[in-house]
Amino acid sequence: GQQLNQSPQSMFIQEGEDVSMNCTSSSIFNTWLWYKQDPGEGPVLLIALYKAGELTSNGRLTAQFGITRKDSFLNISASIPSDVGIYFCAGQDLGAQKLVFGQGTRLTINP
Amino acid sequence: EAGVTQSPTHLIKTRGQQVTLRCSPISGHTSVYWYQQALGLGLQFLLWYDEGEERNRGNFPPRFSGRQFPNYSSELNVNALELEDSALYLCASSLIEWGTQYFGPGTRLLVL
C-alpha cells in the first residue's frame, strides 16, 4: 500500500539529546499527524497539524507542516527514557479518504 | 472520558478459520476505521465505517469485512484465515468524517 517516506528508520541517542525526524511524500496532504506507539499498544496522538506552514508544540515536542504540504518534521528536545518507542507520521488525504502512515522511526535512548 | 476499546486483546487461530474482532469508539465519535499492522511494519488502512455504512476500504481481499452497529461500535471479520493475516489489528475513531483519529490498544492475531 501507499506509504510516506519517514526517516531515519531508527535512532540511538543519549538521554538529554535532541531528536529530529521527518516525513516526505510525493502527494499533498490536508493534515499531518504524529503518533507514538509503545510495544503491543495502539498509536497515541502526539501532535496534529492542519495548515501549511503551521508550527505546533506539545511540551518538549515540536512539529511543522511543510509549506509544500508534502512534508513534516517532529523534534523532541531534551529526550528522557519514556520517549523510547516508535514514532509514526501520518498524512491525511481527504480526497482519497485515507490516512497514510510512514514506516516509523524507532527511538532508543541510552541512559 | 473512555478511549477506544477493543476486544479481545489476543487471539490464536489456525489457517482457514474465521475471526471476529470488536471495537467501541470514543463516546460521540461516529466514524470507525480499521488498520492492519504486520510485525515491524507500518499501518495499512483496511476499512472505514460511518453512520452504519462502509464508506471506503483499502487494498485487502473481500474476506476482510465488517459492520458498524447503531451505537457506532464495529466488528471486523476475517474469513479463511491465512498465515500472513497474523498482525496487530487496530481500530480508531473520529468525531467527524476523517477527523483526527484516536486509536485503541489493538487485537493481536496469530494464525498458525
Side-chain angles (χ1 to χ4, degrees):
Chain A
Q2 180 184 1
Q3 284 194 320
L4 302 173
N5 294 317
Q6 184 172 349
S7 64
Q9 290 188 1
S10 60
M11 302 183 72
F12 299 85
I13 64 170
Q14 297 293 326
E15 184 177 349
E17 288 185 14
D18 296 343
V19 171
S20 184
M21 59 192 78
N22 69 85
C23 274
T24 60
S25 171
S26 57
S27 306
I28 291 174
F29 289 110
N30 304 99
T31 300
W32 282 91
L33 305 166
W34 285 91
Y35 290 89
K36 177 175 182 273
Q37 186 175 27
D38 292 327
E41 298 189 10
V44 174
L45 181 67
L46 298 174
I47 291 180
L49 302 158
Y50 301 105
K51 285 174 52 176
E54 179 181 356
L55 182 71
T56 297
S57 293
N58 178 9
R60 294 178 296 104
L61 278 59
T62 301
Q64 185 159 28
F65 191 146
I67 290 184
T68 65
R69 308 179 75 95
K70 294 182 179 181
D71 62 303
S72 177
F73 71 75
L74 174 70
N75 290 334
I76 305 173
S77 62
S79 58
I80 59 177
S82 61
D83 292 334
V84 166
I86 303 177
Y87 292 80
F88 288 99
C89 63
Q92 189 150 300
D93 181 347
L94 292 178
Q97 296 181 331
K98 61 171 64 176
L99 189 60
V100 180
F101 282 81
Q103 304 95 321
T105 295
R106 182 180 296 274
L107 179 61
T108 303
I109 297 176
N110 299 317
Chain B
E1 178 183 282
V4 177
T5 60
Q6 292 186 244
S7 63
T9 56
H10 295 81
L11 266 179
I12 300 176
K13 293 284 188 178
T14 56
R15 259 188 320 179
Q17 285 189 309
Q18 178 265 343
V19 68
T20 298
L21 312 180
R22 295 177 177 83
C23 171
S24 291
I26 292 172
S27 178
H29 287 196
T30 60
S31 279
V32 171
Y33 314 81
W34 287 94
Y35 293 85
Q36 182 195 66
Q37 185 178 29
L39 189 63
L41 298 180
L43 285 72
Q44 299 294 325
F45 168 68
L46 262 168
L47 289 159
W48 167 35
Y49 290 94
D50 184 69
E51 297 289 355
E53 300 284 331
E54 180 182 307
R55 301 290 292 273
N56 198 14
R57 64 183 293 132
N59 295 325
F60 283 85
R63 56 192 187 82
F64 288 84
S65 65
R67 55 179 172 167
Q68 186 179 34
F69 299 98
N71 65 355
Y72 303 112
S73 66
S74 177
E75 284 182 352
L76 173 69
N77 299 297
V78 187
N79 294 321
L81 284 167
E82 301 178 1
L83 297 179
E84 53 265 33
D85 295 334
S86 295
L88 181 67
Y89 289 84
L90 292 159
C91 171
S93 72
S94 66
L95 185 61
I96 59 174
E97 289 184 15
W98 292 100
T100 302
Q101 294 182 26
Y102 297 88
F103 283 82
T107 294
R108 185 162 296 282
L109 172 65
L110 178 61
V111 182
L112 302 175

